Amino acid sequence: MKIALLCHIEPDTGYPAQFEAAGFTLYYATTADQRASLDPKIAAEIRAVLTVGSIGLSAAEMDSLPNLEIICAQGVGFELIDTEAAKARNIQVTHGPGTNNSAVADHTLALMLAITRSVSYLDHRVRTGKWTQSRITLPGMFGKKLGIIGMGNIGHQIAQRCAGGFNMPVGYFNRRQMTDSPWQYFESRQALAKWADYLVVATPGGKDTLKLVDADVLRELGPDGYLINIARGTVVDTTALIESLRTDSIAGAALDVIDGEPEVPVEMISMIKNLVLTPHTAGRSPEAMDNMMKLVLANLAAHFGGKAVLTPVKA
């Protein structure tokens, strides 16, 4: 008998067939409305959920799935999964640490270069017939100072690329200092921002990191500093960031994530010159997607095979 799996996301081409071959019947609820109006008959069949950290699964949603046994977060993030509620119901929760580190680190450098060299803005200017007027002098990235908030595996890969490829001094802020790190530790976000030319946000989302980059941090980053966010939109105070960009209080920002995504604040739409936006796609390389899907399948196979899952989330 096949196992009912509810998908909050649409797996890439080829992966639904792999789930079907592994013994799962897929049901989809990829929008908030679909999740809120799930057919009770289908809800009663669901034994597994595939989601992402920015969608998650609330206690109320779990209550609507009486036979739920396991929740698999596709990537590393699981911030909107109510892990305490899952624990209370003995529902297993897994995630995908390490599956997309390289892709996210690569995308971070793409964003850094794009905002530094005004790639999006100049592309727009050229396409609108302003070739000659657009040949402006732009800063470089080589040798500039990189500050990272959240020196985990992704932060470390970003640091390696920037230090090795661009000769950038690296500093970081963490919950605690890393004893084996070659990078400079700062005891506050503000101190790191004041020192850095680039401030990269690479910390997990969730209530503990809510608006970690606020008006004070942006003020310290200053008019020559750039903010890069490849973590979660909730880590940055959007209102403060918009004001900093509007008043040129920072040099620019490049965001792969936005609080409230996929909705983009209307104020950001016209900020072509000092803001680069991508649609939460940093971790989506073919290799990363394959890593994530294989790990989800492995965790599901382990759970329904009576074995320990590979990458559990502990409440």
Side-chain angles (χ1 to χ4, degrees):
M1 184 176 179
K2 289 208 168 189
I3 298 166
L5 170 64
L6 181 65
C7 297
H8 286 175
I9 54 171
E10 190 82 42
D12 288 358
T13 302
Y15 294 111
Q18 292 185 35
F19 280 96
E20 295 280 354
F24 296 93
T25 297
L26 303 187
Y27 297 93
Y28 294 92
T30 59
T31 68
D33 286 344
Q34 289 172 344
R35 291 189 285 274
S37 60
L38 189 65
D39 185 330
K41 291 183 179 180
I42 293 176
E45 296 179 16
I46 299 300
R47 297 174 64 191
V49 168
L50 172 60
T51 190
V52 292
S54 57
I55 295 176
L57 200 69
S58 68
E61 289 172 320
M62 291 180 208
D63 288 342
S64 73
L65 305 172
N67 293 306
L68 181 62
E69 299 178 31
I70 184 170
I71 305 163
C72 295
Q74 175 182 274
V76 64
F78 55 90
E79 67 275 11
L80 292 186
I81 297 174
D82 191 330
T83 54
E84 291 293 340
K87 183 179 179 181
R89 274 193 49 191
N90 198 31
I91 297 170
Q92 179 72 67
V93 182
T94 71
H95 67 143
T99 50
N100 62 2
N101 291 354
S102 293
V104 175
D106 288 351
H107 195 82
T108 303
L109 265 73
L111 289 175
M112 292 171 68
L113 285 165
I115 191 62
T116 303
R117 300 297 294 177
S118 295
V119 173
S120 297
Y121 173 65
L122 293 180
D123 176 86
H124 172 74
R125 297 274 292 180
V126 169
R127 292 175 188 274
T128 53
K130 300 180 179 65
W131 177 288
T132 303
Q133 305 96 304
S134 302
R135 299 188 70 241
I136 56 178
T137 301
L138 295 163
M141 203 166 84
F142 188 85
K144 300 291 177 64
K145 292 176 286 188
L146 169 68
I148 299 176
I149 296 180
M151 187 59 82
N153 292 330
I154 290 174
H156 185 69
Q157 286 207 22
I158 295 167
Q160 285 182 315
R161 284 161 170 73
C162 289
F166 290 86
N167 198 32
M168 299 176 76
V170 177
Y172 72 98
F173 169 78
N174 251 11
R175 286 175 292 182
R176 63 186 68 87
Q177 185 173 1
M178 301 169 63
T179 56
D180 58 347
S181 175
W183 322 122
Q184 183 178 350
Y185 175 70
F186 287 79
E187 293 186 351
S188 73
R189 298 160 289 143
Q190 294 86 351
L192 177 64
K194 186 174 184 178
W195 172 83
D197 297 302
Y198 295 86
L199 187 64
V200 171
V201 184
T203 189
K207 62 181 185 299
D208 293 337
T209 58
L210 186 65
K211 296 185 179 180
L212 204 61
V213 176
D214 56 15
D216 290 340
V217 172
L218 294 168
R219 191 176 303 113
E220 294 296 343
L221 185 58
D224 296 320
Y226 297 95
L227 177 72
I228 317 294
N229 188 6
I230 45 78
R232 287 293 187 265
T234 54
V235 184
V236 173
D237 185 331
T238 302
T239 300
L241 176 58
I242 289 171
E243 181 63 15
S244 295
L245 292 169
R246 187 186 67 80
T247 59
D248 295 322
S249 299
I250 63 173
L255 313 174
D256 186 53
V257 289
I258 298 173
D259 194 9
E261 62 186 56
E263 298 301 319
V264 178
V266 65
E267 299 93 336
M268 288 184 170
I269 301 300
S270 60
M271 292 178 170
I272 299 174
K273 191 171 184 179
N274 61 352
L275 178 63
V276 172
L277 300 172
T278 57
H280 203 150
T281 194
R284 292 184 60 84
S285 72
E287 297 84 1
M289 296 307 298
D290 197 48
N291 291 340
M292 286 187 276
M293 288 295 99
K294 283 180 178 176
L295 184 55
V296 168
L297 282 164
N299 276 318
L300 289 170
H303 173 77
F304 289 109
K307 300 177 182 179
V309 296
L310 281 70
T311 51
V313 169
K314 296 179 181 179

